[in-house]
Amino acid sequence: ATSEARIAIMGATLTGRNIVIRADANNDMSFDAAEQAPIDPSGADGLVQSGEKSSKPLADFLQSVRLFGGYARSTAVADVTVGPGSHLRAQGGSVVLDAYANSEANLVTQGNVVGVSYARSDATARVAVASGATVWASGDVALGAVTDNTVSAGTKTVVRDVSKAKFSQSPLSFAVTVAEGYQHAITTVDAGAT
């Protein structure tokens, strides 16, 4: 699954007391965030919401389990760009430009004698102020790129008693697990930016 949040300010002028520009890409949820919405607990919607909340851990587990072979890939990209000719001006306040990317890939494979798992999680957060852009504040100017990245993979095999089989006299199983995690947090202010 891929989650992207991108904000690009190109040749625009933003003026205010505080200017906060935040891109947040979160790719670790199995259910829609609407489950957090307040609903009357006595109504039918409240019953459904309560059921969703209580079944979430079980559903997360079942979604991550595969038989014999499994693959999980998660990518989150958050990007804030202030392009050439753009002007951000915070009079009496601060400017905050930040990008947050959270990616999570979880996988458990259950195999009968043989099991293979591959999980990969990529998180990239970028904040860039291009040459020719102006960022000004009478208070603070804060730029930040932050990533969280979790990858978890496991392979479990069940060994059958093959001692009576003609091809082998001992129990044998084969399990392979590969997990990769990559994260990049990049903040750049080009020469010529003020």
Side-chain angles (χ1 to χ4, degrees):
T2 299
S3 175
E4 293 186 8
R6 299 181 187 270
I7 299 171
I9 300 166
M10 300 297 191
T13 299
L14 301 177
T15 304
R17 179 176 170 87
N18 290 304
I19 298 173
V20 177
I21 300 171
R22 177 170 292 135
D24 187 341
N26 192 349
N27 202 13
D28 74 341
M29 295 185 171
S30 297
F31 287 100
D32 186 13
E35 72 181 10
Q36 302 299 326
I39 295 178
D40 177 15
S42 62
D45 288 339
L47 184 60
V48 169
Q49 185 182 37
S50 176
E52 285 176 355
K53 283 185 179 181
S54 62
S55 65
K56 186 179 183 332
L58 177 61
D60 286 346
F61 172 74
L62 292 176
Q63 284 182 332
S64 69
V65 174
R66 305 288 188 270
L67 297 176
F68 302 108
Y71 172 82
R73 176 87 188 255
S74 177
T75 302
V77 178
D79 188 55
V80 174
T81 302
V82 180
S86 299
H87 303 282
L88 307 181
R89 182 175 175 82
Q91 182 64 42
S94 300
V95 173
V96 176
L97 306 174
D98 68 24
Y100 173 69
N102 182 24
S103 182
E104 186 173 328
N106 297 304
L107 174 67
V108 176
T109 300
Q110 181 70 46
N112 184 7
V113 181
V114 175
V116 178
S117 298
Y118 176 78
R120 178 174 172 163
S121 181
D122 299 281
T124 303
R126 282 185 292 261
V127 173
V129 179
S131 178
T134 301
V135 178
W136 182 89
S138 57
D140 296 328
V141 173
L143 296 97
V146 177
T147 61
D148 283 328
N149 196 7
T150 303
V151 61
S152 170
T155 305
K156 298 178 182 180
T157 57
V158 177
V159 178
R160 303 285 184 219
D161 183 6
V162 293
S163 61
K164 297 178 185 177
K166 294 179 183 178
F167 63 88
S168 174
Q169 293 297 324
S170 64
L172 178 68
S173 70
F174 180 74
V176 175
T177 302
V178 177
E180 295 180 277
Y182 301 95
Q183 61 190 45
H184 307 280
I186 306 158
T187 301
T188 58
V189 178
D190 290 346
T194 56

